[in-house]
Amino acid sequence: MSTPSAANPVCAIIRASFEPYRRDALPSPQRRMLREHLLACEGCRSAAAAEDPTLRFARPLHEPVSEGETREILAAVMTGVDLLKTERRIRMGSGRRARGLRVGSAAAAAAAAVAAAVLVSSGWGILQSPMPGRAIAGASAAAPAPAAASAASVSAAPASAPAMQPAAMAEAEPAPSPDATVYDWNPGAGREEPRVVWIVDRGLDI
Amino acid sequence: MELVYSQQKERREVAELPDRELAVRAREGDMVCFETLVTRKTPAVVSLARRIVGSAEDARDVAQMVFLRVWNEIHRYDSRYSLNTWLYRIATNLSIDFLRSSRSRERAHGATLHLVRAREEATAGDATRTAEDAELSQLFEAVSCRLSEKQKAAFVLREMQDCETREIAEILGCGESTVRNHLFNARRILRKEMERLYPEFLRGRNRP
């Protein structure tokens, strides 16, 4: 350990560097040199503390962590990692299920849209009588079927049918499809009431 | 027996890899590399967290959170940059979060808890620490209470972890001039606190 000596040229250089060190204006190599010197030279350490007491902290202050503590931390981290992995697996599983549902509903929506487009483009003239059993099964899943809501062709409700027809599609040329069936749950609905129509086109099975 | 030997050999080889390589392999799912990284970086992370949160026990909790976050976010690590900067960034942010939440907790439960814990730690931990380090550590804990989280983090990173200003700016997510500002203010506040709490220590300042 060096003795306190400002006469020592290295100590003199180091002590002259305290001020730029405090201003954070010392280049890295000199900064490192100063810190290393302070660790070794008690005289300069005292001089530094006398000039600015915060310079006492200019040294690595390592927290002693024993091997046992490191092992404990590692064990805790690995347990946490296992939990995170399990969480990820669960999330991925539910994500797949949700994706499956989304794909299923998207396919159903697409099928319904295509069916509706074909039906509309055919000028509503292709409707068949529905199979009541199927219609009720479909309705029980979607909404409670009212007693009067027996399946009926759209042509049975001419007042509301034009309201559902998009203007652009209304101009399309009719292309009759003998497989399309429309289940209309409230054929007598006026303009203010919701209209529920289930269209099934067997010709578009996908 | 042969399997155990080969595992030990693998661990020995992995232990010699540089930080960046370990992180890259851990990112690819190599758990041995991840474990080696945790073991290697635990002292540095605990030291940094200890200076910011002020308690050894809390620092160990923060270190666990840091490594869990590292595992969870390892896919975001860009190997062009230093692992330490990335790691210190996570450690600093989590320590600051912890400090904020523990401050609000302590406000609710009273400050006595902190004093009791500090005394317990002082008696338990000092045996393993060099006397001077222990003294400085306690001194810093006592005088750093009035620093803001960012000032404290900047000062600890600069003085005790010896990080470059540019690195600290990256870690704290601010500009280098802001870091210098934090450091300047931290020194000013620390000096004032030392004068207030330890005047006898400062009386020696003008000694020849």
Side-chain angles (χ1 to χ4, degrees), chain A residues 1 21-29 31-32 35-36 38-39 42 45-47 49-67 69-86 88 91, chain B residues 31 34-35 38-39 42-44 46-47 50-51 56 60 63-64 67-68 71-73 75 125 128-130 132-137 139-140 143 155 158-165 179-180 183 186-188 190-191 194 201-202 204-207:
Chain A
M1 194 177 280
Y21 181 91
R22 278 162 50 195
R23 280 190 293 111
D24 200 33
L26 213 56
S28 294
R31 191 186 146 80
R32 204 161 300 131
R35 288 169 63 90
E36 279 167 13
L38 283 185
L39 273 180
E42 202 181 332
R45 232 177 10 249
S46 304
E51 186 164 325
D52 183 343
T54 64
L55 288 177
R56 288 187 61 145
F57 300 119
R59 57 186 288 165
L61 258 186
H62 291 307
E63 183 68 16
V65 184
S66 67
E67 264 184 45
E69 285 172 325
T70 305
R71 266 199 304 274
E72 274 175 28
I73 290 174
L74 178 64
V77 170
M78 296 320 287
T79 308
V81 165
D82 285 343
L83 280 171
L84 283 174
K85 278 181 179 172
T86 311
R88 271 187 195 177
R91 223 179 301 139
Chain B
M31 290 311 281
F34 177 71
E35 284 178 27
V38 174
T39 311
T42 292
V46 170
S47 292
R50 168 82 164 94
R51 301 292 153 237
R60 280 154 182 73
Q64 288 174 23
F67 290 116
L68 271 181
W71 184 82
N72 214 20
E73 308 272 317
H75 60 280
T128 53
R129 218 178 283 172
T130 66
E132 203 172 349
D133 271 7
E135 188 202 345
L136 273 181
S137 185
L139 179 69
F140 184 72
V143 296
F155 190 82
R158 187 69 170 134
E159 294 300 315
M160 293 153 193
Q161 304 285 335
D162 200 18
C163 292
E164 297 291 331
T165 312
V179 172
R180 287 205 180 88
L183 289 171
R187 271 193 205 287
R188 186 175 49 81
L190 287 174
R191 234 183 348 253
M194 286 166 99
F201 166 71
L202 291 166
R205 274 172 75 174
N206 298 325
R207 274 193 308 219

Side-chain angles (χ1 to χ4, degrees), chain B residues 27 70 72-79 86:
Chain B
R27 193 173 58 191
V70 165
N72 214 20
E73 308 272 317
I74 193 89
H75 60 280
R76 293 191 186 188
Y77 169 63
D78 186 340
S79 52
W86 186 67

